[in-house]
Amino acid sequence: MSNLKFVQVPMSALMNIKDTSIKIYSIIYTGWILMNNEFYHSYSQFVTELGVNIPYVKRALKDLKEGGYIEIESGRGARKPNTFHLTNRVKSEPIDNN
């Protein structure tokens, strides 16, 4: 996915999510769109793509989940990536043009 030059992210997410979290959210959002509403990724893949450590990734994912932006389905075992889903909040939240 690193060959993408642009990603599209809802404005409401950009305005409300912290720096590392918005980067992770952008990866999830773009992957979710490209993979027909289901996206698999491991903590290690986020670490490699963003150059951060695992605690930052875990905290960002926790913030995104608690904020209602994503749902996380555990990979159920070692070396199995998590599945990420966008929530209805993101899919249906209108953008305020003001």
Side-chain angles (χ1 to χ4, degrees), residues 6-7 19 21 28 34 50 52 55 78-79 88:
F6 299 97
V7 296
D19 186 45
S21 297
I28 294 169
L34 293 174
L50 299 175
V52 298
R79 301 184 186 255
N88 286 333

Side-chain angles (χ1 to χ4, degrees), residues 17 21 24-25 28 60-70:
I17 301 175
S21 297
I24 289 176
Y25 179 78
I28 294 169
L61 290 170
K62 181 181 177 191
D63 289 346
L64 291 169
K65 183 178 178 182
E66 288 177 355
Y69 291 96
I70 63 170

Side-chain angles (χ1 to χ4, degrees), residues 37-49:
N37 306 338
E38 199 166 81
F39 180 64
Y40 305 94
H41 226 54
S42 68
Y43 294 138
S44 297
Q45 288 171 295
F46 286 120
V47 166
T48 300
E49 292 170 353

Side-chain angles (χ1 to χ4, degrees), residues 4-90:
L4 293 176
K5 296 186 189 263
F6 299 97
V7 296
Q8 185 176 23
V9 176
M11 181 62 72
S12 59
L14 285 174
M15 303 310 288
N16 296 312
I17 301 175
K18 298 176 190 171
D19 186 45
T20 301
S21 297
I22 195 64
K23 291 175 185 177
I24 289 176
Y25 179 78
S26 297
I27 292 169
I28 294 169
Y29 185 87
T30 302
W32 193 83
I33 299 296
L34 293 174
M35 302 303 289
N36 296 317
N37 306 338
E38 199 166 81
F39 180 64
Y40 305 94
H41 226 54
S42 68
Y43 294 138
S44 297
Q45 288 171 295
F46 286 120
V47 166
T48 300
E49 292 170 353
L50 299 175
V52 298
N53 59 33
I54 287 181
Y56 281 103
V57 170
K58 287 182 177 182
R59 180 66 192 171
L61 290 170
K62 181 181 177 191
D63 289 346
L64 291 169
K65 183 178 178 182
E66 288 177 355
Y69 291 96
I70 63 170
E71 293 174 353
I72 304 170
E73 186 180 328
S74 176
R76 292 182 177 55
R79 301 184 186 255
K80 302 244 180 183
N82 294 319
T83 304
F84 298 93
H85 304 279
L86 298 182
T87 63
N88 286 333
R89 172 184 179 180
V90 176

